[in-house]
Amino acid sequence: IEHTYQEDIEDPAEVRREVARLARELARELAPEGRPAVRIVVKVRFAPFDTHTHGVTLEEPSLDAAALEAAALAALDRFSLDRPVRLLGVRAELATPGAPAAGR
């Protein structure tokens, strides 16, 4: 899930709120599939077009909104939010059907 903002976000607290919201939205979209996320990746595009990603592997595959939100915020913590943000994205890498759970 990605969102491009009409006006740059300059407040890091607002960026965190938006990433949390996107992660919860992602969890709602993943639920019907039933395939849990094993990794969450956050994308940040700083104004004007400098784009970076950071990801976090979940301790165990999950569809839980709180777990996906926590992972997204942990990934966001790897960014230096010292510039205005134009775009935010949160995506999941899903477990492969029939594959053993991560860490096992």
Side-chain angles (χ1 to χ4, degrees):
I1 295 178
E2 287 187 2
H3 186 81
T4 301
Y5 299 91
Q6 294 297 321
E7 295 183 21
D8 297 342
I9 301 174
E10 297 191 31
D11 178 7
E14 185 177 351
V15 171
R16 287 186 67 77
R17 285 190 299 274
E18 283 296 302
V19 166
R21 182 185 64 77
L22 292 171
R24 290 189 304 271
E25 185 178 334
L26 177 63
R28 283 191 300 276
E29 287 190 8
L30 291 177
E33 283 187 51
R35 283 181 52 208
V38 294
R39 183 171 169 79
I40 298 296
V41 178
V42 171
K43 177 182 191 178
V44 176
R45 178 168 296 145
F46 296 98
F49 294 105
D50 189 18
T51 305
H52 299 275
T53 60
H54 285 293
V56 170
T57 301
L58 299 170
E59 288 185 26
E60 61 183 49
S62 180
L63 286 168
D64 179 67
L68 301 189
E69 180 180 338
L73 291 173
L76 182 65
D77 286 342
R78 296 181 176 179
F79 290 92
S80 177
L81 298 175
D82 57 353
R83 297 177 281 166
V85 171
R86 172 54 51 122
L87 173 145
L88 290 169
V90 178
R91 71 176 167 84
E93 294 176 4
L94 303 179
T96 304
R104 296 200 177 121

